[in-house]
Amino acid sequence: MAAWSKRLHREGVTIGFVPTMGALHAGHRALIRAARLACDAVVVSIFVNPTQFGPTEDLSKYPRRLGLDRSLCRAEGVDVVFAPDRDAMYPPGSQTIVTVPALSRRWEGEARPHHFQGVATIVTKLLSLVQPDTSWFGQKDYQQAALVRQLATDLNLSGRIIVHPTVREADGLALSSRNVYLSAQQRQAAPVLFRALQAGAAALRSGARKGPQIRRHMVRLVAQEPIATIDYLAVCDPRSLEPLATVQSQAVLLGAIRIGGVRLLDNLLVTVRTSSRRPRTALHESR
Ligand code: AMP
């Protein structure tokens, strides 16, 4: 992988990179298409990274469909599918770990200890191997995208990071490889998270500014769905991801719920228009 990238760079070819854990869906496809448009060559990595799963999580049953994933990549004009095995990425004796402490502390980090050090380590390794000019990450995993931006800055990793908007089903459910675990009844209940986030965004747009009040509004909505339990719902600063007492100009509404054994994540970034100032550019936009 590294030799191929070096050769292309010498030839002046630009490399776009989309890291994934496979079981590719239309969300991944949107990232691949964005990379295809922007770069000469596209690399998609498929690696179910063991270090980002906790001991009681779904590593062994995480959907693996390498054959189908390769077909999708071929159809999308991907140049390289990089699908290393575990020993190639973590040879015996490897010990270095990358941590991004402040951004990892809350939300997903609280629910899944060690998850983000696994993510930060594998992303650092993949970016070092692939040496992309630009990489694409999904807004669907907002905290992950914020952490990747931070580590790329802190570790002086070359290449741009672009965060792509979340791709959703018609009823608003964010596409995820884990949605296949949902039964028909659970699938019907799943859009409640998006609806709650939308209600939070609507409250903000219509003048509500108190973080706790907006949060309670979202909690009430999810509570109407008896088979959903809330992991967290939060009104946060889009950069630090700390909860906001009062929203000034922007907030990210973060949420995670459980339906049966399935954990669903989603978020909405909201810019509040003030009369005196133009809205600030969102964190994830590359302009
Ligand atoms: P994963 O295979 O779940 O690790 O995801 C690989 C990349 O695709 C990550 O950057 C995700 O944030 C992104 N992604 C996953 N689902 C979506 C979605 N529904 N919309 C946009 N990007 C997504």
Side-chain angles (χ1 to χ4, degrees), residues 28-50:
H28 300 111
R29 192 191 292 129
L31 272 57
I32 293 169
R33 287 186 177 171
R36 180 76 279 163
L37 278 175
C39 293
D40 301 324
V42 175
V43 177
V44 172
S45 66
I46 297 178
F47 181 61
V48 183
N49 175 37

Side-chain angles (χ1 to χ4, degrees), residues 29 32-33 36 42 70-79:
R29 192 191 292 129
I32 293 169
R33 287 186 177 171
R36 180 76 279 163
V42 175
R70 281 190 199 284
S71 307
L72 182 146
C73 287
R74 198 170 299 122
E76 293 298 329
V78 169
D79 297 272

Side-chain angles (χ1 to χ4, degrees), residues 24-269:
L24 301 180
H25 51 64
H28 300 111
R29 192 191 292 129
L31 272 57
I32 293 169
R33 287 186 177 171
R36 180 76 279 163
L37 278 175
C39 293
D40 301 324
V42 175
V43 177
V44 172
S45 66
I46 297 178
F47 181 61
V48 183
N49 175 37
T51 63
Q52 71 190 65
F53 286 78
T56 59
E57 291 179 0
D58 58 345
L59 173 63
S60 61
K61 67 169 182 137
Y62 194 85
R64 287 168 172 83
R65 300 194 309 235
L66 194 54
L68 284 173
D69 290 347
R70 281 190 199 284
S71 307
L72 182 146
C73 287
R74 198 170 299 122
E76 293 298 329
V78 169
D79 297 272
V80 171
V81 173
F82 178 51
D85 63 22
R86 184 187 180 128
D87 275 3
M89 292 314 288
Y90 299 107
S94 65
Q95 46 178 298
T96 303
I97 284 167
V98 180
T99 57
V100 186
L103 280 173
S104 302
R105 200 159 51 88
R106 290 182 188 274
W107 320 126
E108 285 306 286
E110 217 167 302
R112 307 180 68 189
H114 310 302
H115 170 68
F116 280 128
Q117 71 178 38
V119 170
T121 303
I122 196 67
V123 169
T124 305
K125 288 166 72 70
L126 288 169
L127 292 179
S128 311
L129 280 167
V130 177
Q131 293 283 313
D133 293 276
T134 311
S135 304
W136 277 263
F137 292 83
Q139 188 190 328
K140 152 88 178 9
D141 301 285
Y142 190 96
Q143 191 174 6
Q144 168 175 285
L147 176 131
V148 168
R149 269 206 188 295
Q150 186 72 43
L151 81 84
T153 304
D154 292 350
L155 299 179
N156 308 107
L157 301 180
S158 63
R160 286 194 312 157
I161 305 288
I162 295 187
V163 181
H164 192 283
T166 304
V167 178
R168 303 177 179 282
E169 303 280 7
D171 61 7
L173 175 66
L175 295 188
S176 163
S177 305
R178 290 187 167 99
N179 291 352
V180 297
Y181 301 150
L182 295 166
S183 70
Q185 187 211 5
Q186 292 168 341
R187 171 64 188 81
Q188 249 194 336
V192 70
L193 175 56
F194 178 60
R195 284 202 304 274
L197 295 172
Q198 271 187 317
L204 262 168
R205 290 199 185 99
S206 58
R209 288 292 178 272
K210 299 290 171 216
Q213 183 197 345
I214 297 160
R215 180 182 173 279
R216 279 196 298 277
H217 186 47
M218 297 192 292
V219 168
R220 272 198 299 274
L221 261 146
V222 175
Q224 285 170 13
E225 178 47 70
I227 65 168
T229 54
I230 297 169
D231 254 17
Y232 59 82
L233 283 162
V235 180
C236 299
D237 179 279
R239 287 164 206 271
S240 70
L241 304 190
E242 293 296 314
L244 287 172
T246 307
V247 178
Q248 302 289 347
S249 57
Q250 264 199 336
V252 62
L253 310 180
L254 298 177
I257 64 170
R258 280 172 207 269
I259 292 189
V262 189
R263 218 159 153 272
L264 302 172
L265 284 194
D266 205 348
N267 67 83
L268 284 178
L269 187 63

